[in-house]
Amino acid sequence: MKTSFQRLQAIVARDYKLAIDQVTPESTLESLGIDSLGVAEMLFNIEDEFHVNVPAEPVYDLVTLNDVVRFIDTLMAAQPAASPDAVSSPQGESPLPT
């Protein structure tokens, strides 16, 4: 299973057309060419990739990718765990074979 950093690294490398080895935990968003508009776009992509809800309040303390990973991990820890009973098929049948 990929770590939060590896998943974020893939997003950043794809969206900013960077070589994967350029995207390190210590990389600053500025050094990667990510401005304030880019941060907003990245947060939308994080919501999609990590299935979390990013709060509407601005996030000011995201300087490095390590900061972003800590932010993601905090959001993931705050999410309620999905119940296995909450999963259903389109017809309401059990998703598991009988």
Side-chain angles (χ1 to χ4, degrees), residues 3-51:
T3 66
S4 296
F5 173 73
Q6 290 168 326
R7 293 166 68 187
L8 176 63
Q9 183 183 43
I11 291 170
V12 171
R14 177 194 69 217
D15 291 351
Y16 293 92
K17 297 172 182 34
L18 300 168
I20 203 84
D21 61 338
Q22 288 180 278
V23 184
T24 68
E26 297 80 23
S27 298
T28 64
L29 300 179
E30 183 179 349
S31 73
L32 296 172
I34 303 173
D35 59 12
S36 58
L37 184 59
V39 169
E41 182 179 329
M42 181 178 61
L43 292 174
F44 285 122
N45 291 333
I46 286 169
E47 281 187 322
D48 291 342
E49 171 68 24
F50 292 89
H51 306 288

Side-chain angles (χ1 to χ4, degrees), residues 23-87:
V23 184
T24 68
E26 297 80 23
S27 298
T28 64
L29 300 179
E30 183 179 349
S31 73
L32 296 172
I34 303 173
D35 59 12
S36 58
L37 184 59
V39 169
E41 182 179 329
M42 181 178 61
L43 292 174
F44 285 122
N45 291 333
I46 286 169
E47 281 187 322
D48 291 342
E49 171 68 24
F50 292 89
H51 306 288
V52 295
N53 294 317
V54 174
E57 300 84 37
V59 182
Y60 297 107
D61 57 344
L62 301 179
V63 176
T64 68
L65 290 183
N66 260 339
D67 297 333
V68 178
V69 168
R70 279 192 291 278
F71 179 68
I72 292 167
D73 289 343
T74 300
L75 292 175
M76 289 175 50
Q79 295 289 350
S83 164
D85 297 332
V87 178

